[in-house]
Amino acid sequence: MTSNPKADMDLQYVQALVISCLDNAGIARVKVLPGPKVEDAFSNGCGVSVSVGVLLAADDHVTRSSEIDPIVGDLRGMPDRSAVAVIDKTTGLAWAPADLVDMHGAPYPTCQRTALKRVASEWATAGLEVSVGLELEFTVFGGTQDAPVLAHEGPGYSAPAFLQLEAWSLDVLTALVEAGVPVEQIHPEYGRGQVEIALAPRNPVQAVDDYLLARFIVARVSRRHGLHVSYSPIADSTTATNGCHIHFSARNGDGNVFYDAAAGTGMSPAGESMIAGVLGKLAESASLLGGSALSVARLQPQQWAGSFICWGTGNREAAVRFVPGLKGYEDRQSNVEVKCCDGAANQYLAVAAILAAALEGFRGQLRLPAEVTVDPGTLSEAERERLDIRAFAPDMFTALDDLDGSGFLRSALGHELVNAYVAVRRGEAERFAQLDREAVIAALRWRY
């Protein structure tokens, strides 16, 4: 593992290290080591059960896949020394993401972080530099978890909404910055009780590590303020739904591929092909971008959730939104946003699926479909069919069948990982199939 001078320096403060792995249910599972054990953990890790890849979010029920017996066998969680963050110097609490290895030290097939590393390395091999930035939407509640109350009443994006959560917001920002999480901004979102944090672009693995750490810190600060946060796609049926928007940009020897002043689309042919690649694989990737029992229900028109498979410049109802940079800053800022992802996903897998599809489009020089310049939900079915604007799968079972049958994603992520993921998410879908929506919302509100 790479040494990081800052991380090495910060280890002097560490009295306890939280080692975190994000599982197939979208839950961050942790082990906490005391200070004297930390240095040794960087070389031989900590014990992790094989079951960590096949636990359900709903109730931690253990399922299984054709390759994984959750009862027999052990793994090691190897914390990444270069990604250590000291969260609290007073208490000596630190955090690090981990890769999963088998007892021979080889990468475990269902390690999602390793899968993203593998996809990211293919971009480098292709002579491309890719950056990823995530936007976290979540709902903040006061009251108790048994009787939650939305923590701000809006209006959306407003000063009054910010002032209702001013002390909490500033403490969150301070804690994130002190832990080294690169924050772009925090603001009250559109819905009552809703907040968004935008993280700065980084390399793909760092970006998801930042995301995991940010969620941990936000939850920790919220507890001190007597507040509760939920990243569930639908945390409360009376307010807006929560997404987790994934932005990415890419550079080659000519600069940002999503900026070409001479092109009609405003981007280079390479950038156009990347968007085409993402669009072509979105249907089979949908259950990776949001695999919970509420993820499909979130993808509704007129909710800015990106519920139609199409693209448009600045179009918040398209699943893929091209975001040009400010004049004079286009080379630095132009990027692509995938809107149909949510906080119940495993973001290592979600980002890996998007980047693998974009690279496939680049390599195949795919042709970009026509841009959609209106809200696709306002078009007739005949118009959408003519423009090849598709809806996502109507239910999670269908979305999982699409993933299960995807030779492309099986090649990109590995058969064992896809099989384990499908087993977990199918188990979740079956668990909630007979419950009404409010019961599902209540059951999952505090799991994400």
Side-chain angles (χ1 to χ4, degrees):
M1 275 165 283
T2 304
S3 180
N4 180 333
K6 180 181 181 300
D8 291 343
M9 179 183 67
D10 285 346
L11 287 175
Q12 65 182 302
Y13 298 106
V14 175
Q15 299 299 315
L17 178 67
V18 177
I19 299 175
S20 180
C21 295
L22 187 62
D23 73 3
N24 284 323
I27 305 295
R29 311 286 178 175
V30 303
K31 293 291 182 79
V32 183
L33 301 188
K37 292 286 186 180
V38 170
E39 187 62 43
D40 195 42
F42 293 120
S43 58
N44 67 28
C46 65
V48 176
S49 168
V50 174
S51 66
V52 74
V54 286
L55 297 175
L56 303 190
D59 54 9
D60 297 324
H61 176 77
V62 179
T63 186
R64 65 180 62 235
S65 70
S66 55
E67 294 89 3
I68 297 179
D69 179 345
I71 307 303
V72 179
D74 292 284
L75 305 174
R76 303 296 289 182
M78 304 296 293
D80 186 338
R81 188 185 200 109
S82 70
V84 171
V86 174
I87 295 171
D88 190 330
K89 289 184 179 180
T90 302
T91 63
L93 182 65
W95 176 95
D99 297 315
L100 297 178
V101 302
D102 63 23
M103 299 307 286
H104 298 286
Y108 194 62
T110 64
C111 178
Q112 300 88 353
R113 192 169 185 263
T114 299
L116 178 54
K117 286 182 178 179
R118 189 169 58 246
V119 171
S121 70
E122 293 183 14
W123 280 70
T125 300
L128 296 164
E129 177 186 346
V130 61
S131 297
V132 173
L134 285 80
E135 294 174 347
L136 297 68
E137 291 181 343
F138 52 95
T139 307
V140 184
F141 295 91
T144 66
Q145 290 194 347
D146 291 332
V149 179
L150 293 169
H152 77 70
E153 289 297 319
Y157 319 115
S158 71
F162 166 72
L163 292 173
Q164 291 175 67
L165 289 173
E166 177 186 358
W168 170 86
S169 298
L170 296 179
D171 281 355
V172 165
L173 277 178
T174 298
L176 290 171
V177 171
E178 288 183 349
V181 179
V183 183
E184 296 276 69
Q185 63 181 24
I186 183 172
H187 66 267
E189 248 293 340
Y190 176 75
R192 294 181 303 124
Q194 192 179 38
V195 172
E196 179 180 289
I197 295 175
L199 303 180
R202 303 245 269 165
N203 78 54
V205 176
Q206 285 180 323
V208 182
D209 291 346
D210 290 340
Y211 163 84
L212 276 187
L213 178 54
R215 285 183 54 155
F216 187 86
I217 289 172
V218 169
R220 188 170 182 268
V221 172
S222 297
R223 292 177 68 86
R224 294 207 307 267
H225 283 261
L227 299 172
H228 315 277
V229 294
S230 175
Y231 294 85
S232 180
I234 306 176
D236 186 297
S237 61
T238 68
T239 189
T241 63
N242 293 318
C244 179
H245 306 152
I246 298 174
H247 292 252
F248 75 96
S249 62
R251 304 186 72 84
N252 58 19
D254 297 323
N256 189 337
V257 303
F258 296 115
Y259 173 58
D260 184 341
T265 60
M267 67 186 94
S268 73
E272 293 179 1
S273 292
M274 288 179 187
I275 293 179
V278 172
L279 289 172
K281 303 299 183 185
L282 268 188
E284 58 208 76
S285 301
S287 62
L288 292 171
L289 304 183
S292 83
L294 294 168
S295 293
V296 170
R298 187 186 78 88
L299 296 177
Q300 298 300 314
Q302 280 77 57
Q303 299 294 318
W304 293 8
S307 59
F308 290 98
I309 299 176
C310 59
W311 80 279
T313 302
N315 192 334
R316 288 177 171 80
E317 283 292 338
V320 178
R321 183 169 80 107
F322 173 48
V323 187
L326 176 69
K327 184 174 178 58
Y329 295 86
E330 296 95 341
D331 183 71
R332 201 167 90 193
Q333 295 180 348
S334 298
N335 69 90
V336 172
E337 177 188 34
V338 180
K339 297 186 63 64
C340 49
C341 187
D342 66 51
N346 180 301
Q347 304 301 333
Y348 292 111
L349 296 183
V351 172
I354 291 168
L355 295 186
L359 186 59
E360 177 85 352
F362 168 78
R363 287 171 169 165
Q365 298 182 336
L366 297 187
R367 183 177 178 182
L368 184 65
E371 177 180 9
V372 177
T373 59
V374 300
D375 177 352
T378 64
L379 301 175
S380 68
E381 288 189 19
E383 288 174 312
R384 287 198 292 268
E385 183 175 355
R386 178 177 61 82
L387 295 170
D388 194 28
I389 299 172
R390 293 165 289 152
F392 284 95
D395 56 69
M396 186 52 64
F397 294 106
T398 304
L400 287 167
D401 287 343
D402 291 340
L403 170 61
D404 202 11
S406 172
F408 170 75
L409 289 170
R410 286 183 171 277
S411 176
L413 303 177
H415 290 284
E416 296 95 336
L417 182 48
V418 170
N419 288 342
Y421 185 89
V422 169
V424 168
R425 297 302 193 168
R426 195 166 275 154
E428 291 272 321
E430 291 169 354
R431 185 62 53 93
F432 290 115
Q434 303 306 314
L435 297 183
D436 65 36
R437 176 167 158 165
E438 289 300 320
V440 179
I441 291 172
L444 291 179
R445 180 178 292 125
W446 308 123
R447 306 303 283 184
Y448 301 111

